[in-house]
Amino acid sequence: MQTRSLGLPDVRGARAAQRLAPHVAPLNLWVEAQAAASGRWFPALDPHDGGVGARVLLLLESPGPVVSRTGFVSMDNPDGTAENLRCLLHLSGLRRGDVAVWNAVPWQMSENGVVTPRPAQYAEAAPLTRHLLSLMPELRAVVLVGRHAQAAWPEVGSGLPTLACPHPSPQNFNARWRSAGVALGALVSARELLRDEKSAHPHTGLDAPPADG
C-alpha cells in the first residue's frame, strides 16, 4: 500500500487524466459547475475512489493547503492526515472502491494554512452536500471525520446512517492516543454495516466493487 502518492508529479498527471472517468465524471463535472458558479476553487473527487458507486462517504471538514497543489480531495495527498486515513481504511478492511471522500465545507479557504470552518459556512455548504448525496445512489453510510464534519451534518438533513470518527491528523493522534483506535473502529463499523446489508440482500450484487487503488 503506497501513501502520499499524489506528491509525485507523474502520479498527479495520471490522476488528472482520469478525472472524468465514467464512475466519477458526474461528480467532477458537478464540482466544476459549482466552482464556475461561485467563483471559488473546489478540488475534484479522486477517481481511485468509488465515485457514484460509493457505498460509504468519508466526510471530512475542509480542504487543507496541500489540496491546492494536487487538485484532489484524496487519501493519496502528501500530508499526514491523508496518510493516516489511507492506513485506517486499509486496516479496517473497507475496500477503496466502496468509499468516496468529500468535505463538509468543500471549497478551498486558504492555500497557506488550515482555516477552521464556521457555522455559517456549514449552513452555506449543506445544499452542496445534499446534492452530492443525490449523485451517489448506492450510499449506505456516512463517516463524519472530525468535529467540524460532525457539527455540520445536522444542516444537511439526511437520513443516512452516520458514524462519528476522530479527525486523523497527526496532531490529534499524537495528542490523543486513543483517537486512532476510535477512528479505526468507526471504519470497521462501516464495513460491518455493508456486510450486514449484503447478508440481508444476498442478490443485490453489492459485493463486487472496483479493485482497490
Side-chain angles (χ1 to χ4, degrees), residues 13-14 16 19-20 28 33-34 42 53 56 59 86 98 112 114 127-128 163 166 173 184 193 195 198-199 202 211:
R19 185 179 51 81
L20 296 181
N28 283 334
Q34 298 312 305
F42 289 67
V56 176
L59 189 69
R86 183 74 178 95
D98 277 335
N112 301 313
V114 175
L128 299 177
L163 297 158
F173 280 9
L184 178 58
L193 188 153
R195 181 199 62 194
K198 173 63 177 175
S199 297

Side-chain angles (χ1 to χ4, degrees), residues 20-182:
L20 296 181
H23 72 291
V24 78
L27 304 176
N28 283 334
L29 289 171
W30 171 75
V31 167
E32 290 179 4
Q34 298 312 305
S38 67
R40 290 167 164 154
W41 185 79
F42 289 67
L45 285 90
D46 193 332
H48 277 208
D49 295 341
V52 296
R55 298 157 68 197
V56 176
L57 178 66
L58 307 182
L59 189 69
L60 282 73
E61 300 179 351
S62 62
V66 72
V67 172
S68 63
R69 300 195 294 275
T70 67
F72 290 97
V73 53
S74 174
M75 292 177 281
D76 293 331
N77 274 329
D79 62 36
T81 294
E83 182 173 48
N84 284 344
L85 189 60
R86 183 74 178 95
C87 291
L88 288 168
L89 188 80
H90 178 74
L91 292 170
S92 75
L94 265 174
R95 290 167 293 189
R96 189 161 181 178
D98 277 335
V99 305
V101 185
W102 188 243
N103 285 287
V105 178
W107 54 84
Q108 178 76 61
M109 293 192 291
S110 173
E111 297 182 9
N112 301 313
V114 175
V115 176
T116 301
R118 301 186 302 274
Q121 292 169 317
Y122 304 157
E124 184 181 1
L128 299 177
T129 304
R130 283 195 293 272
H131 189 78
L132 183 79
L133 298 178
S134 75
L135 297 175
M136 297 179 170
E138 302 301 325
L139 279 181
R140 299 297 180 265
V142 178
V143 179
L144 303 173
V145 184
R147 61 187 179 89
H148 292 289
Q150 293 157 24
W153 183 250
E155 297 280 355
V156 177
S158 169
L160 282 166
T162 59
L163 297 158
C165 176
H167 197 280
S169 69
Q171 295 89 338
N172 190 38
F173 280 9
N174 290 338
R176 302 171 181 85
W177 60 269
R178 290 186 177 88
S179 292
V182 175

